[in-house]
Amino acid sequence: MTTLRDMPMITIEQKNRFREAALKVEAERDELVAWKDYAMRELTALQQVTHQLAHNGTMCWDYSRDARAVMDREPVASLSRRDARMKAEALEDMANAYEDHHEILDHLRDAAEAYRKQAEGEA
């Protein structure tokens, strides 16, 4: 994997901006994880109530099953796809800034394409 250290044509200021952007993405991811945890706790409580109501015959079982189906979904794919999309966009922006450096440009576009495929669920 190529790191910022491996790209000597990038200035310290640019490397710092990339690091700041990465930290911002990580903070946003952490906020999403916290929100998901909160939502899952609330959905679990809702599912338990709807299950009990359905068991007592006062509510249709479909509501409880629907809540369980949402809880069983795997959220990791959507977060990793979002992260891949954001990385691809950042790499494409960087490639646009280095139009006269063909070696770096090719590397950035290849990396952006790989992230695009990951974001679309192909990788």
Side-chain angles (χ1 to χ4, degrees), residues 3-60:
T3 65
L4 291 176
R5 190 176 309 139
D6 300 326
M7 297 181 189
M9 299 184 129
I10 296 176
T11 67
I12 297 293
E13 291 81 18
Q14 290 168 322
K15 288 180 184 180
N16 288 338
R17 283 198 308 267
F18 296 142
R19 283 189 188 103
E20 288 172 13
L23 290 173
K24 182 178 177 186
V25 168
E26 288 176 5
E28 289 173 357
R29 183 198 58 219
D30 292 346
E31 289 174 9
L32 283 172
V33 168
W35 170 250
K36 181 208 67 97
D37 290 343
Y38 168 76
M40 288 301 288
R41 284 192 306 274
E42 294 297 311
L43 187 56
T44 299
L46 175 65
Q47 194 273 337
Q48 290 170 350
V49 168
T50 58
H51 179 82
Q52 187 61 41
L53 291 171
H55 186 71
N56 292 340
T58 56
M59 181 180 280
C60 176

Short mmCIF file of all heavy atoms in Angstrom, two decimals, residues 3-60:
data_model
loop_
_atom_site.label_atom_id
_atom_site.label_comp_id
_atom_site.label_asym_id
_atom_site.label_seq_id
_atom_site.Cartn_x
_atom_site.Cartn_y
_atom_site.Cartn_z
N THR A 3 1.77 5.00 0.87
CA THR A 3 1.43 5.96 1.90
C THR A 3 1.88 7.34 1.46
O THR A 3 2.56 7.49 0.45
CB THR A 3 2.12 5.61 3.24
OG1 THR A 3 3.54 5.74 3.06
CG2 THR A 3 1.77 4.21 3.69
N LEU A 4 1.52 8.36 2.23
CA LEU A 4 1.95 9.72 1.91
C LEU A 4 3.46 9.83 1.92
O LEU A 4 4.05 10.60 1.17
CB LEU A 4 1.35 10.71 2.92
CG LEU A 4 -0.16 10.91 2.83
CD1 LEU A 4 -0.63 11.83 3.95
CD2 LEU A 4 -0.57 11.44 1.49
N ARG A 5 4.11 9.03 2.75
CA ARG A 5 5.58 9.03 2.83
C ARG A 5 6.20 8.60 1.50
O ARG A 5 7.29 9.00 1.15
CB ARG A 5 6.01 8.11 3.96
CG ARG A 5 7.47 8.20 4.31
CD ARG A 5 7.81 7.32 5.50
NE ARG A 5 6.90 7.61 6.60
CZ ARG A 5 6.37 6.68 7.40
NH1 ARG A 5 6.66 5.42 7.24
NH2 ARG A 5 5.56 7.00 8.36
N ASP A 6 5.49 7.76 0.75
CA ASP A 6 5.99 7.25 -0.52
C ASP A 6 5.81 8.21 -1.68
O ASP A 6 6.19 7.90 -2.80
CB ASP A 6 5.30 5.93 -0.87
CG ASP A 6 5.54 4.87 0.19
OD1 ASP A 6 6.64 4.87 0.78
OD2 ASP A 6 4.63 4.06 0.42
N MET A 7 5.20 9.36 -1.44
CA MET A 7 4.93 10.32 -2.50
C MET A 7 5.76 11.59 -2.27
O MET A 7 5.29 12.55 -1.69
CB MET A 7 3.44 10.66 -2.54
CG MET A 7 2.56 9.50 -2.85
SD MET A 7 0.85 10.03 -2.89
CE MET A 7 0.02 8.48 -3.00
N PRO A 8 7.01 11.59 -2.73
CA PRO A 8 7.92 12.71 -2.44
C PRO A 8 7.51 14.03 -3.07
O PRO A 8 7.95 15.09 -2.62
CB PRO A 8 9.26 12.23 -2.98
CG PRO A 8 8.91 11.23 -4.03
CD PRO A 8 7.64 10.59 -3.56
N MET A 9 6.67 14.03 -4.10
CA MET A 9 6.30 15.27 -4.77
C MET A 9 5.20 16.03 -4.02
O MET A 9 4.83 17.12 -4.40
CB MET A 9 5.86 14.99 -6.20
CG MET A 9 6.96 14.37 -7.03
SD MET A 9 6.43 14.18 -8.70
CE MET A 9 7.82 14.94 -9.53
N ILE A 10 4.69 15.46 -2.97
CA ILE A 10 3.65 16.10 -2.18
C ILE A 10 4.30 16.89 -1.06
O ILE A 10 5.18 16.40 -0.36
CB ILE A 10 2.68 15.04 -1.61
CG1 ILE A 10 1.97 14.34 -2.76
CG2 ILE A 10 1.67 15.69 -0.68
CD1 ILE A 10 1.08 13.22 -2.32
N THR A 11 3.86 18.11 -0.89
CA THR A 11 4.46 18.98 0.12
C THR A 11 3.99 18.59 1.52
O THR A 11 2.99 17.90 1.68
CB THR A 11 4.09 20.46 -0.12
OG1 THR A 11 2.68 20.61 0.09
CG2 THR A 11 4.47 20.91 -1.52
N ILE A 12 4.72 19.06 2.51
CA ILE A 12 4.35 18.82 3.91
C ILE A 12 2.96 19.39 4.19
O ILE A 12 2.15 18.75 4.86
CB ILE A 12 5.38 19.47 4.87
CG1 ILE A 12 6.76 18.84 4.69
CG2 ILE A 12 4.92 19.39 6.31
CD1 ILE A 12 6.84 17.39 5.12
N GLU A 13 2.67 20.56 3.64
CA GLU A 13 1.35 21.16 3.85
C GLU A 13 0.25 20.27 3.28
O GLU A 13 -0.81 20.10 3.89
CB GLU A 13 1.29 22.56 3.22
CG GLU A 13 2.15 23.59 3.91
CD GLU A 13 3.63 23.52 3.48
OE1 GLU A 13 3.93 22.92 2.42
OE2 GLU A 13 4.46 24.05 4.22
N GLN A 14 0.50 19.71 2.09
CA GLN A 14 -0.50 18.83 1.49
C GLN A 14 -0.67 17.56 2.31
O GLN A 14 -1.79 17.11 2.53
CB GLN A 14 -0.09 18.49 0.06
CG GLN A 14 -0.20 19.67 -0.89
CD GLN A 14 0.46 19.41 -2.22
OE1 GLN A 14 1.50 18.78 -2.28
NE2 GLN A 14 -0.15 19.90 -3.29
N LYS A 15 0.44 17.00 2.77
CA LYS A 15 0.36 15.81 3.62
C LYS A 15 -0.43 16.11 4.89
O LYS A 15 -1.26 15.29 5.32
CB LYS A 15 1.76 15.32 3.98
CG LYS A 15 2.50 14.69 2.83
CD LYS A 15 3.88 14.21 3.24
CE LYS A 15 4.65 13.66 2.05
NZ LYS A 15 5.98 13.19 2.42
N ASN A 16 -0.20 17.28 5.47
CA ASN A 16 -0.94 17.65 6.68
C ASN A 16 -2.43 17.80 6.40
O ASN A 16 -3.26 17.39 7.22
CB ASN A 16 -0.37 18.93 7.28
CG ASN A 16 0.99 18.70 7.92
OD1 ASN A 16 1.34 17.59 8.29
ND2 ASN A 16 1.77 19.77 8.05
N ARG A 17 -2.77 18.36 5.24
CA ARG A 17 -4.19 18.50 4.88
C ARG A 17 -4.83 17.11 4.69
O ARG A 17 -5.96 16.88 5.10
CB ARG A 17 -4.35 19.33 3.61
CG ARG A 17 -4.19 20.83 3.85
CD ARG A 17 -4.77 21.66 2.73
NE ARG A 17 -4.29 21.28 1.41
CZ ARG A 17 -3.25 21.83 0.80
NH1 ARG A 17 -2.55 22.78 1.38
NH2 ARG A 17 -2.90 21.42 -0.42
N PHE A 18 -4.07 16.20 4.07
CA PHE A 18 -4.59 14.84 3.90
C PHE A 18 -4.81 14.17 5.25
O PHE A 18 -5.81 13.49 5.47
CB PHE A 18 -3.65 14.00 3.04
CG PHE A 18 -3.50 14.49 1.64
CD1 PHE A 18 -2.27 14.42 1.01
CD2 PHE A 18 -4.57 15.02 0.93
CE1 PHE A 18 -2.12 14.87 -0.29
CE2 PHE A 18 -4.43 15.48 -0.36
CZ PHE A 18 -3.19 15.41 -0.98
N ARG A 19 -3.87 14.35 6.15
CA ARG A 19 -4.01 13.76 7.49
C ARG A 19 -5.22 14.35 8.21
O ARG A 19 -5.97 13.64 8.88
CB ARG A 19 -2.74 13.98 8.30
CG ARG A 19 -1.62 13.06 7.91
CD ARG A 19 -0.43 13.15 8.88
NE ARG A 19 0.67 12.38 8.35
CZ ARG A 19 1.74 12.89 7.76
NH1 ARG A 19 1.87 14.19 7.63
NH2 ARG A 19 2.69 12.10 7.31
N GLU A 20 -5.40 15.67 8.11
CA GLU A 20 -6.55 16.32 8.75
C GLU A 20 -7.85 15.78 8.17
O GLU A 20 -8.81 15.53 8.90
CB GLU A 20 -6.47 17.84 8.56
CG GLU A 20 -5.39 18.50 9.40
CD GLU A 20 -5.19 19.97 9.05
OE1 GLU A 20 -6.04 20.54 8.34
OE2 GLU A 20 -4.17 20.54 9.49
N ALA A 21 -7.88 15.61 6.85
CA ALA A 21 -9.08 15.05 6.22
C ALA A 21 -9.34 13.63 6.71
O ALA A 21 -10.49 13.25 6.97
CB ALA A 21 -8.94 15.08 4.70
N ALA A 22 -8.28 12.85 6.84
CA ALA A 22 -8.44 11.47 7.33
C ALA A 22 -8.97 11.46 8.77
O ALA A 22 -9.84 10.65 9.11
CB ALA A 22 -7.11 10.72 7.25
N LEU A 23 -8.46 12.35 9.60
CA LEU A 23 -8.95 12.44 10.98
C LEU A 23 -10.41 12.85 11.02
O LEU A 23 -11.19 12.34 11.85
CB LEU A 23 -8.09 13.43 11.78
CG LEU A 23 -6.66 12.96 12.08
CD1 LEU A 23 -5.86 14.10 12.72
CD2 LEU A 23 -6.67 11.75 12.99
N LYS A 24 -10.80 13.74 10.12
CA LYS A 24 -12.21 14.16 10.06
C LYS A 24 -13.09 12.98 9.67
O LYS A 24 -14.15 12.77 10.26
CB LYS A 24 -12.37 15.29 9.06
CG LYS A 24 -13.78 15.83 8.97
CD LYS A 24 -13.88 16.98 8.00
CE LYS A 24 -15.32 17.44 7.90
NZ LYS A 24 -15.50 18.46 6.88
N VAL A 25 -12.65 12.20 8.69
CA VAL A 25 -13.42 11.02 8.26
C VAL A 25 -13.53 10.02 9.41
O VAL A 25 -14.60 9.46 9.65
CB VAL A 25 -12.77 10.37 7.02
CG1 VAL A 25 -13.37 9.01 6.73
CG2 VAL A 25 -12.94 11.28 5.80
N GLU A 26 -12.45 9.82 10.13
CA GLU A 26 -12.48 8.89 11.27
C GLU A 26 -13.44 9.38 12.34
O GLU A 26 -14.18 8.59 12.93
CB GLU A 26 -11.09 8.71 11.84
CG GLU A 26 -10.18 7.88 10.96
CD GLU A 26 -8.76 7.78 11.49
OE1 GLU A 26 -8.49 8.27 12.60
OE2 GLU A 26 -7.91 7.20 10.78
N ALA A 27 -13.45 10.69 12.61
CA ALA A 27 -14.37 11.24 13.60
C ALA A 27 -15.82 11.05 13.16
O ALA A 27 -16.68 10.68 13.97
CB ALA A 27 -14.06 12.72 13.85
N GLU A 28 -16.09 11.28 11.88
CA GLU A 28 -17.45 11.08 11.36
C GLU A 28 -17.85 9.61 11.47
O GLU A 28 -18.99 9.30 11.83
CB GLU A 28 -17.53 11.53 9.91
CG GLU A 28 -17.46 13.03 9.75
CD GLU A 28 -17.38 13.46 8.29
OE1 GLU A 28 -17.34 12.58 7.40
OE2 GLU A 28 -17.36 14.67 8.04
N ARG A 29 -16.91 8.72 11.19
CA ARG A 29 -17.19 7.29 11.30
C ARG A 29 -17.52 6.93 12.75
O ARG A 29 -18.47 6.20 13.02
CB ARG A 29 -16.01 6.47 10.81
CG ARG A 29 -16.29 4.96 10.84
CD ARG A 29 -15.04 4.13 10.78
NE ARG A 29 -14.17 4.47 11.88
CZ ARG A 29 -12.85 4.55 11.78
NH1 ARG A 29 -12.25 4.31 10.66
NH2 ARG A 29 -12.12 4.87 12.83
N ASP A 30 -16.75 7.47 13.68
CA ASP A 30 -17.00 7.19 15.10
C ASP A 30 -18.37 7.70 15.53
O ASP A 30 -19.07 7.05 16.31
CB ASP A 30 -15.90 7.80 15.96
CG ASP A 30 -14.56 7.12 15.77
OD1 ASP A 30 -14.52 6.02 15.17
OD2 ASP A 30 -13.53 7.71 16.19
N GLU A 31 -18.77 8.87 15.01
CA GLU A 31 -20.09 9.39 15.31
C GLU A 31 -21.19 8.48 14.76
O GLU A 31 -22.20 8.24 15.41
CB GLU A 31 -20.25 10.80 14.75
CG GLU A 31 -19.44 11.84 15.49
CD GLU A 31 -19.49 13.21 14.82
OE1 GLU A 31 -20.29 13.40 13.87
OE2 GLU A 31 -18.73 14.09 15.23
N LEU A 32 -20.97 7.97 13.55
CA LEU A 32 -21.94 7.05 12.96
C LEU A 32 -22.04 5.76 13.76
O LEU A 32 -23.14 5.23 13.96
CB LEU A 32 -21.55 6.72 11.51
CG LEU A 32 -21.86 7.78 10.48
CD1 LEU A 32 -21.23 7.40 9.13
CD2 LEU A 32 -23.35 7.96 10.32
N VAL A 33 -20.92 5.25 14.22
CA VAL A 33 -20.93 4.04 15.03
C VAL A 33 -21.70 4.28 16.33
O VAL A 33 -22.51 3.44 16.75
CB VAL A 33 -19.50 3.54 15.31
CG1 VAL A 33 -19.48 2.45 16.36
CG2 VAL A 33 -18.86 3.04 14.02
N ALA A 34 -21.46 5.42 16.95
CA ALA A 34 -22.18 5.75 18.20
C ALA A 34 -23.68 5.86 17.93
O ALA A 34 -24.50 5.36 18.71
CB ALA A 34 -21.64 7.04 18.79
N TRP A 35 -24.05 6.50 16.82
CA TRP A 35 -25.46 6.63 16.48
C TRP A 35 -26.07 5.26 16.21
O TRP A 35 -27.17 4.96 16.64
CB TRP A 35 -25.63 7.54 15.26
CG TRP A 35 -27.03 7.52 14.73
CD1 TRP A 35 -27.44 6.97 13.56
CD2 TRP A 35 -28.21 8.02 15.37
NE1 TRP A 35 -28.80 7.11 13.42
CE2 TRP A 35 -29.29 7.75 14.52
CE3 TRP A 35 -28.44 8.67 16.58
CZ2 TRP A 35 -30.59 8.12 14.84
CZ3 TRP A 35 -29.74 9.02 16.89
CH2 TRP A 35 -30.80 8.76 16.04
N LYS A 36 -25.35 4.39 15.50
CA LYS A 36 -25.85 3.05 15.22
C LYS A 36 -26.08 2.28 16.51
O LYS A 36 -27.11 1.63 16.68
CB LYS A 36 -24.87 2.28 14.33
CG LYS A 36 -25.36 0.88 13.99
CD LYS A 36 -24.24 -0.10 13.73
CE LYS A 36 -23.40 -0.43 14.87
NZ LYS A 36 -23.63 -1.62 15.65
N ASP A 37 -25.15 2.40 17.45
CA ASP A 37 -25.31 1.72 18.74
C ASP A 37 -26.57 2.20 19.46
O ASP A 37 -27.34 1.41 20.00
CB ASP A 37 -24.08 1.91 19.61
CG ASP A 37 -22.86 1.16 19.09
OD1 ASP A 37 -23.03 0.25 18.26
OD2 ASP A 37 -21.75 1.50 19.53
N TYR A 38 -26.77 3.51 19.47
CA TYR A 38 -27.96 4.09 20.10
C TYR A 38 -29.22 3.59 19.39
O TYR A 38 -30.18 3.15 20.04
CB TYR A 38 -27.89 5.62 20.05
CG TYR A 38 -29.20 6.28 20.40
CD1 TYR A 38 -29.63 6.36 21.72
CD2 TYR A 38 -30.01 6.81 19.40
CE1 TYR A 38 -30.85 6.94 22.03
CE2 TYR A 38 -31.21 7.40 19.71
CZ TYR A 38 -31.63 7.47 21.02
OH TYR A 38 -32.83 8.05 21.32
N ALA A 39 -29.23 3.65 18.06
CA ALA A 39 -30.40 3.22 17.30
C ALA A 39 -30.70 1.75 17.53
O ALA A 39 -31.87 1.35 17.64
CB ALA A 39 -30.19 3.51 15.81
N MET A 40 -29.66 0.92 17.61
CA MET A 40 -29.88 -0.50 17.85
C MET A 40 -30.48 -0.76 19.24
O MET A 40 -31.33 -1.63 19.39
CB MET A 40 -28.57 -1.28 17.68
CG MET A 40 -28.14 -1.41 16.23
SD MET A 40 -29.35 -2.23 15.18
CE MET A 40 -29.20 -3.90 15.74
N ARG A 41 -30.03 0.00 20.24
CA ARG A 41 -30.63 -0.15 21.58
C ARG A 41 -32.11 0.20 21.54
O ARG A 41 -32.95 -0.51 22.11
CB ARG A 41 -29.89 0.71 22.60
CG ARG A 41 -28.55 0.17 23.02
CD ARG A 41 -28.00 0.90 24.24
NE ARG A 41 -27.93 2.34 24.08
CZ ARG A 41 -26.91 3.01 23.52
NH1 ARG A 41 -25.87 2.35 23.07
NH2 ARG A 41 -26.94 4.31 23.43
N GLU A 42 -32.45 1.30 20.87
CA GLU A 42 -33.85 1.71 20.77
C GLU A 42 -34.66 0.70 19.97
O GLU A 42 -35.78 0.35 20.34
CB GLU A 42 -33.94 3.10 20.12
CG GLU A 42 -33.34 4.21 20.96
CD GLU A 42 -34.08 4.40 22.28
OE1 GLU A 42 -35.33 4.49 22.25
OE2 GLU A 42 -33.41 4.46 23.33
N LEU A 43 -34.11 0.20 18.88
CA LEU A 43 -34.80 -0.76 18.05
C LEU A 43 -34.98 -2.09 18.79
O LEU A 43 -36.03 -2.74 18.66
CB LEU A 43 -34.03 -0.99 16.75
CG LEU A 43 -34.72 -1.84 15.70
CD1 LEU A 43 -36.09 -1.29 15.34
CD2 LEU A 43 -33.85 -1.93 14.46
N THR A 44 -34.00 -2.46 19.60
CA THR A 44 -34.13 -3.69 20.39
C THR A 44 -35.31 -3.57 21.36
O THR A 44 -36.12 -4.50 21.47
CB THR A 44 -32.83 -3.97 21.16
OG1 THR A 44 -31.77 -4.15 20.22
CG2 THR A 44 -32.95 -5.20 22.04
N ALA A 45 -35.40 -2.43 22.02
CA ALA A 45 -36.52 -2.22 22.95
C ALA A 45 -37.85 -2.26 22.19
O ALA A 45 -38.82 -2.88 22.65
CB ALA A 45 -36.36 -0.89 23.67
N LEU A 46 -37.90 -1.62 21.04
CA LEU A 46 -39.12 -1.63 20.23
C LEU A 46 -39.48 -3.04 19.79
O LEU A 46 -40.64 -3.45 19.85
CB LEU A 46 -38.95 -0.73 19.02
CG LEU A 46 -40.10 -0.71 18.02
CD1 LEU A 46 -41.36 -0.13 18.65
CD2 LEU A 46 -39.70 0.08 16.79
N GLN A 47 -38.48 -3.79 19.37
CA GLN A 47 -38.73 -5.16 18.91
C GLN A 47 -39.27 -6.02 20.05
O GLN A 47 -40.17 -6.82 19.86
CB GLN A 47 -37.44 -5.76 18.33
CG GLN A 47 -37.65 -7.03 17.54
CD GLN A 47 -37.64 -8.29 18.38
OE1 GLN A 47 -37.07 -8.33 19.46
NE2 GLN A 47 -38.28 -9.34 17.89
N GLN A 48 -38.73 -5.82 21.24
CA GLN A 48 -39.20 -6.59 22.39
C GLN A 48 -40.66 -6.27 22.72
O GLN A 48 -41.45 -7.17 23.02
CB GLN A 48 -38.30 -6.34 23.59
CG GLN A 48 -36.92 -6.95 23.43
CD GLN A 48 -35.95 -6.50 24.51
OE1 GLN A 48 -36.22 -5.60 25.29
NE2 GLN A 48 -34.79 -7.15 24.53
N VAL A 49 -41.00 -4.99 22.65
CA VAL A 49 -42.40 -4.59 22.93
C VAL A 49 -43.33 -5.15 21.87
O VAL A 49 -44.39 -5.72 22.19
CB VAL A 49 -42.51 -3.05 23.02
CG1 VAL A 49 -43.97 -2.61 23.01
CG2 VAL A 49 -41.81 -2.54 24.26
N THR A 50 -42.95 -5.00 20.59
CA THR A 50 -43.83 -5.51 19.53
C THR A 50 -43.94 -7.04 19.59
O THR A 50 -45.01 -7.60 19.31
CB THR A 50 -43.35 -5.06 18.13
OG1 THR A 50 -42.02 -5.51 17.91
CG2 THR A 50 -43.43 -3.56 17.97
N HIS A 51 -42.87 -7.70 19.97
CA HIS A 51 -42.91 -9.16 20.12
C HIS A 51 -43.91 -9.54 21.22
O HIS A 51 -44.73 -10.45 21.04
CB HIS A 51 -41.52 -9.71 20.45
CG HIS A 51 -41.49 -11.18 20.64
ND1 HIS A 51 -41.42 -12.06 19.59
CD2 HIS A 51 -41.55 -11.94 21.77
CE1 HIS A 51 -41.43 -13.29 20.06
NE2 HIS A 51 -41.50 -13.25 21.38
N GLN A 52 -43.83 -8.85 22.34
CA GLN A 52 -44.75 -9.15 23.45
C GLN A 52 -46.20 -8.86 23.06
O GLN A 52 -47.10 -9.64 23.36
CB GLN A 52 -44.36 -8.34 24.70
CG GLN A 52 -45.16 -8.71 25.93
CD GLN A 52 -44.96 -10.17 26.33
OE1 GLN A 52 -43.86 -10.70 26.28
NE2 GLN A 52 -46.04 -10.83 26.72
N LEU A 53 -46.43 -7.74 22.37
CA LEU A 53 -47.79 -7.41 21.94
C LEU A 53 -48.31 -8.45 20.94
O LEU A 53 -49.48 -8.83 20.98
CB LEU A 53 -47.84 -6.01 21.34
CG LEU A 53 -47.64 -4.85 22.33
CD1 LEU A 53 -47.50 -3.54 21.59
CD2 LEU A 53 -48.79 -4.80 23.34
N ALA A 54 -47.44 -8.89 20.05
CA ALA A 54 -47.85 -9.91 19.09
C ALA A 54 -48.14 -11.23 19.82
O ALA A 54 -49.10 -11.94 19.49
CB ALA A 54 -46.76 -10.10 18.04
N HIS A 55 -47.32 -11.55 20.80
CA HIS A 55 -47.53 -12.78 21.59
C HIS A 55 -48.87 -12.74 22.32
O HIS A 55 -49.55 -13.75 22.45
CB HIS A 55 -46.37 -12.96 22.58
CG HIS A 55 -46.43 -14.24 23.33
ND1 HIS A 55 -46.17 -15.46 22.73
CD2 HIS A 55 -46.71 -14.51 24.63
CE1 HIS A 55 -46.30 -16.41 23.63
NE2 HIS A 55 -46.62 -15.87 24.79
N ASN A 56 -49.25 -11.55 22.81
CA ASN A 56 -50.53 -11.39 23.50
C ASN A 56 -51.71 -11.31 22.54
O ASN A 56 -52.85 -11.27 22.97
CB ASN A 56 -50.50 -10.13 24.37
CG ASN A 56 -49.55 -10.25 25.53
OD1 ASN A 56 -49.17 -11.36 25.93
ND2 ASN A 56 -49.13 -9.12 26.07
N GLY A 57 -51.42 -11.19 21.25
CA GLY A 57 -52.49 -11.14 20.25
C GLY A 57 -53.01 -9.74 19.98
O GLY A 57 -54.00 -9.59 19.28
N THR A 58 -52.37 -8.72 20.53
CA THR A 58 -52.84 -7.35 20.31
C THR A 58 -52.14 -6.65 19.15
O THR A 58 -52.47 -5.51 18.85
CB THR A 58 -52.65 -6.51 21.59
OG1 THR A 58 -51.29 -6.56 21.97
CG2 THR A 58 -53.53 -7.03 22.72
N MET A 59 -51.19 -7.35 18.50
CA MET A 59 -50.48 -6.75 17.37
C MET A 59 -50.08 -7.87 16.42
O MET A 59 -49.83 -9.00 16.83
CB MET A 59 -49.24 -6.00 17.86
CG MET A 59 -48.44 -5.34 16.74
SD MET A 59 -46.99 -4.46 17.35
CE MET A 59 -47.76 -2.97 17.92
N CYS A 60 -49.98 -7.51 15.16
CA CYS A 60 -49.57 -8.47 14.13
C CYS A 60 -48.08 -8.83 14.30
O CYS A 60 -47.26 -7.97 14.64
CB CYS A 60 -49.80 -7.83 12.76
SG CYS A 60 -49.25 -8.84 11.38
#
